[in-house]
Amino acid sequence: LLHGSGLKVHLKHLESIYTIQWQEDVIKRKYGDICCIGVSHTDRTIFLGDSTHSIDFFDIDTRELIHEISSARSQPGDGHSGDVNAIALSNDNCFLATGSDDHYIKIWNVKSQSKDLLGTLGGHTKAVYSLVYTLDDKKLISSGADGIINVWSTSELKSIHQITYESAINSVALIPDSEIFLTAGQDGRVVFWTSCLSRAGSFFAHSQEIMSASVDLKGNFIATGGKDGQIKIWQFHLTDVENGMHPFLKHEISIGNSVDAISISPEGNLVASIDNAGNVYQHRLETGELVYKTNEKPAFGFNRTHAIKFSRNGRILVAGVKNNVRIWKQVI
């Protein structure tokens, strides 16, 4: 068995994981701390929301600004009138949802040259902090500072399920191949929900507020980052969640500073995170080993002004560090 082909394939896979090389680049912006960030499914565009209430679209290769949706406070238009904290791209790469301090969610047609506004959703009473499309794009899930969780019909642009949780919710993540998603936030607890907003289970993950949570595409791991300066990696099975069992704590990593955002690579081999000083970290999911860290000069600013996200294929990692975008591309 030890010399079987299966083991050889596994070891070769591990070797490729451990020798990943990254090419780093920076998009320097003049103003606006970045609050949320993402990559198009074609790996051609970076989109972000910032503290000047704007939504920007950058070409990854040229690093040029290709479109901007300006603040509704600075000029007439369809933009937000508060910080843009949350952003989500539909799985068909056609629609972008954005959430803001102005309590509203806006849906944009990213296939149109002018990024036309398709609708505005008003189901929150405070800042919107997190958005995610379901895999079939039929629903959009939102959460925020008011503790409200909304499940929206994307065809009708209306809330079909709503519940108010006990405290602010900072992060929403889907459990792949299921009707279950999780939320995490101010009370340090991870809560599992069905698509109809029935509670499927919960557990305390951090001693302080959880700022971000991420799930790998295979649905085996959850990564959480909190104000307690901890990155935690949890191993779980969907059946365990459905039976109310507590996920297994695989790694607990202390970085000292509050963890603003976290993202698991689609392959499930790396966990990327960013702290409130703007430092970016990469840890191996299986071992918890630190493989990369930037060293930013401490410059603590507004809350929720750092973001990080892997592209869908895992070959690109983008981070909002203060007002600039840092890009890492896998060297093949």
Side-chain angles (χ1 to χ4, degrees), residues 237-253:
H237 296 284
L238 181 60
T239 53
D240 294 340
V241 171
E242 293 171 337
N243 293 327
M245 296 177 64
H246 193 299
F248 169 71
L249 179 59
K250 186 174 180 66
H251 300 296
E252 184 174 354
I253 303 162

Side-chain angles (χ1 to χ4, degrees), residues 8 44 71 136-137 149 177 193 229 267 274 305 307 316:
K8 290 180 181 178
R44 297 176 60 186
S71 167
D136 59 9
D137 286 333
I149 306 168
D177 300 321
W193 306 87
E267 302 94 333
I274 185 168
T305 56
I316 296 174

